[in-house]
Amino acid sequence: MASILFGDGKLFTVSSFIYPQTYIRPYDLRYIRVDLPPWFSSLSVNVDSDVDLDVSSFKKNIKSTLPLICFRDGSPPLPDVLNFNQKGIVLGNFSVESFEALEGLQNVQCFPMQRNITLKLTNEQISPGTWYLGLFNGIGATKAQGKMIVRVPAYSFHANITVDGCSSPTILGQNCNQTVEPLSCAASDIQNVTEKSLNVLFPNQSIENLVSCSNSFDSSCHGGGEPKTYFLDVVELTEKFIISAANVKFNSNISGNVSGIVLMCYVRHGALSSVTLHDYSSDLNKAPLAILSPKVGRWYITILPVNTTKEVGGISNNSVQVCYSMNGNLLTCPAGKAGPNCAYDSYALQTIIKRQTTLFESYYLPLGGNYSSDGDNFPLQSLVSNSSYDKLSNDTWTYFQLNIPRGAAGGNIHIRITSDSKINYETYVRFGGLPSLQNWDYFYANTTNSSDGSMFFKSYNCTDQKIDFYLLYVREGTWNFGLRRLNDVNYNLTDDASMSVSIDRCPKRCSNRGDCRNALDASGLTTYNFCSCDRDHGGFDCSIEIVSPRVLSKGIFADSLEVGVGHVKQSIALIVSNAAAILPAFWALRQKAFAEWVLFTASGVSSGIYHACDVGTWCPLPYGVLQFMDFWLSFMAVVSVFIYLASTDEGFKRTIQTVVTILTALMALTKATRSSNIIIVIIIGSIGLLIGWLIELSTKFRFTSFSLGFSLNMMASWHNVRQWLRNFIKSFLKRFRWIFMLAGFVALCVAAASWQLETSESYWIWHSVWHITIYTAAFFFLCSKEVPGNGESERPPNSNYELTRQNSSSRGVNGESERPPPNSNYQLTRQNSSSRGTESRLEALIESRVYPIMPKIGHGFFTQAEM
């Protein structure tokens, strides 16, 4: 925590947090927790990223893959339950003005990620407490789905978050220039309160526990249009909060109609109140302001006199002030009681940690009850209230309170009520205060009337005999549950209903279709869990069947996919398209290239089986094994085409293939689905082809050494080089059938285009096109290699050679041969012979007699007969 003072010394930096550059992979997320103390003045957020999106591209992109930044009060935003049709997602430029009221458990504000986001929120806009920033790279049902190919790009960001505060708790505001007076409270003696005052404040209600609050001065005075702000801390559950102003009058020098004074009161929980931002308002000069079941926490009260000049004759006078005595009264209930008139029973629930589970998983039982800790449920018959506050009412309430510990905001509250007969309870839930028919955050009445439309409420298979729902990513602090029992004539007083309350890390254990994983937010203070689903399911609880044997639901991708595609059509396209591997496999077998034949056959079969498993048709081997085999054999098949085009020795081919096998196996084991692997494989194949050509050239074409000096033989050497280049180009052009080579490149371009067009929704169709075009391209490339005919063999099998010398000098004396002069030339002529031994010996003779002499010969090189 920094303690840097600014200006007049009222404003200082409470905390400053720098989040280093971080990459968010496709469908990944990051949470950043920010704690705001009661005396904070402003929150500054600056986020820089490499996302390059403008407003016009927001609606063009697939919305479920948009990178988003979200804000939520109290607990992490849950991306998998967000809907782009809901109010919280704004597809437009980010601005402070675009923020709406963010306070509330169900309020989430999301914006598309941009290159730079800068905002400053004051304590007039947001309340103190814990806030969460969520950065997402794709949301929706498919986020948690196990995927084969991911086409969403990653992006990076870094953030700087600063919290500024006021040095005094009684001075608040954005610039710490607004004085706030506390209301001090003390238990009131009911005997000293007049009966008239009690009837005004609490009509027709018995009073047992009353807390009275007032400012430190007997009277407060301020002029018209001048607001004065107070704050009061509610530290326990309270039945009623009454705000009143007594002894309203003008200051001593002014006389006027006091009854006509308008003394407006604006009240707000957690943040400074004003004319435009408040939860409750009333004219205190007419009647007190009553707030039923106020939330625990700090309440801000702003008093504003209005139209004071009119009440003193309409003459403007700056000295006119309204004086009053500010009072606040809190009506609390005795221990074990709650609700209207403290008529109902209330129970505190104690936390019991579950055995052999992850952090914060626990269940709750009533405190002081005789319950077995081995079971996580308790009977309701002995706990429900038996009396009603109003005899005319047909219901009774029973309340339960539990506490969510610090750091558990990424958990889920699980409520379950079961009975052998029809359940006659309605459940109402509220954070920080008692729930009622008017005030609740979530509720469940029956199978047709509940909070199922809420983003953070999820019910499961509820019936008349079972209530089962979750509250997702709950807030830290005190939660209150109210059971409303309907007292109709058909109700069985001996009912056997039981209730269980627990904190679960993942709803329904990811529906047994995925793994429950946990992570920490950037601060390391909050643990959150999420489901990693299998390839057929998605959603925050893996309950959404994305790949179905019946039909792909239209509702899953309602924001990006308009027409559902049948599972049978997907399976046929993805599996049968691998039959295109027959083309290159057949050609390789015809040319007796058995290694290539095995690779293409195995690649097509492996890919077909893998896609059959991927769409949920048939899995003969584990999914990971099939994925490895598919990618590895595909990589090998691509590289084998390049090696096949190089007509080098089989020994060198085996060496290159061994190296390629190791490299492609490593690629298939580590991030096999990344798009860059295609480029890497092509580069590896091209290098193998180049090496093969170099080896082939080194054996077929041999250069002679050239003289370092400048002589007449230099021109002849350059002539020989040009002749060699012409012969090389002529040989290269004869090596390939260029019509097939061109067709191969066209098919390869179509395959690359289909690869780029793949998305999570259109994957099945474009990947099928990829199968067909990539195998077709391989077939054309294999066909493009010229295969020598019977009469075009480089070395006839039944031929031997004779070495003769031309332009030789006279033979020596006595028939002895002299050493050939330097300018002698040799000519190799072929004669028909069936003896291979003669040919071998003749070639050895050439190697031993001719090549040692050739560096001294002024001619260019020695070639085979084909040159």
Side-chain angles (χ1 to χ4, degrees), residues 336-483:
K337 292 294 182 180
N341 205 30
C342 302
Y344 302 125
D345 296 329
S346 176
Y347 300 92
L349 299 178
Q350 61 179 342
T351 305
I352 300 177
I353 304 299
K354 293 183 179 180
R355 299 176 182 176
Q356 299 178 348
T357 56
T358 58
L359 187 64
F360 294 122
E361 279 202 316
S362 57
Y363 61 93
Y364 295 85
L365 295 176
L367 183 64
N370 187 18
Y371 306 103
S372 173
S373 59
D374 295 332
D376 59 356
N377 59 346
F378 51 90
L380 289 176
Q381 181 179 359
S382 59
L383 299 176
V384 295
S385 303
N386 294 322
S387 61
S388 175
Y389 162 64
D390 185 354
K391 293 183 179 180
L392 299 178
S393 177
N394 64 344
D395 56 12
T396 59
W397 290 78
T398 304
Y399 297 99
F400 300 92
Q401 297 89 38
L402 63 85
N403 183 70
I404 302 298
R406 179 179 174 85
N412 310 285
I413 295 180
H414 184 200
I415 305 295
R416 181 182 174 91
I417 301 176
T418 58
S419 177
D420 292 336
S421 57
K422 182 179 179 180
I423 297 176
N424 213 38
Y425 294 103
E426 295 178 354
T427 307
Y428 295 83
V429 186
R430 190 180 181 208
F431 177 81
L434 285 179
S436 65
L437 292 178
Q438 293 77 31
N439 290 322
W440 46 263
D441 294 320
Y442 307 98
F443 81 100
Y444 182 90
N446 50 56
T447 55
T448 59
N449 187 19
S450 66
S451 295
D452 264 332
S454 168
M455 292 185 290
F456 301 99
F457 180 96
K458 177 64 176 179
S459 61
Y460 290 92
N461 302 322
C462 294
T463 64
D464 290 340
Q465 292 79 34
K466 184 183 72 171
I467 298 175
D468 190 355
F469 64 85
Y470 282 83
L471 307 181
L472 308 177
Y473 277 18
V474 295
R475 188 173 182 173
E476 303 167 0
T478 302
W479 286 81
N480 300 274
F481 299 86
L483 292 185

Side-chain angles (χ1 to χ4, degrees), residues 261-281:
I261 295 176
V262 178
L263 196 63
M264 289 302 301
C265 174
Y266 302 99
V267 184
R268 190 179 180 191
H269 178 263
L272 288 174
S273 56
S274 64
V275 176
T276 57
L277 296 173
H278 57 269
D279 299 328
Y280 303 91
S281 64

Side-chain angles (χ1 to χ4, degrees), residues 229-282:
T229 304
Y230 308 88
F231 71 86
L232 182 148
D233 291 323
V234 178
V235 297
E236 60 180 331
L237 291 180
T238 302
E239 179 188 351
K240 187 179 293 187
F241 177 22
I242 304 294
I243 302 172
S244 61
N247 303 321
V248 179
K249 61 181 180 180
F250 291 107
N251 54 353
S252 58
N253 299 326
I254 302 297
S255 61
N257 184 11
V258 176
S259 61
I261 295 176
V262 178
L263 196 63
M264 289 302 301
C265 174
Y266 302 99
V267 184
R268 190 179 180 191
H269 178 263
L272 288 174
S273 56
S274 64
V275 176
T276 57
L277 296 173
H278 57 269
D279 299 328
Y280 303 91
S281 64
S282 177

Side-chain angles (χ1 to χ4, degrees), residues 781-829:
F781 284 135
L782 294 178
C783 293
S784 67
K785 182 179 180 181
E786 186 72 46
V787 179
N790 294 332
E792 300 176 359
S793 178
E794 294 178 356
R795 180 176 296 173
N798 295 324
S799 301
N800 53 16
Y801 298 82
E802 179 183 2
L803 183 67
T804 60
R805 186 176 65 195
Q806 297 177 347
N807 299 329
S808 59
S809 61
S810 61
R811 300 179 63 85
V813 182
N814 298 328
E816 294 181 357
S817 300
E818 296 179 354
R819 179 180 299 273
N823 59 350
S824 298
N825 293 333
Y826 289 82
Q827 181 179 7
L828 185 67
T829 60

Side-chain angles (χ1 to χ4, degrees), residues 546-560:
I546 295 178
V547 179
S548 169
R550 299 176 300 275
V551 68
L552 182 63
S553 172
K554 295 181 181 180
I556 296 173
F557 307 112
D559 57 338
S560 58

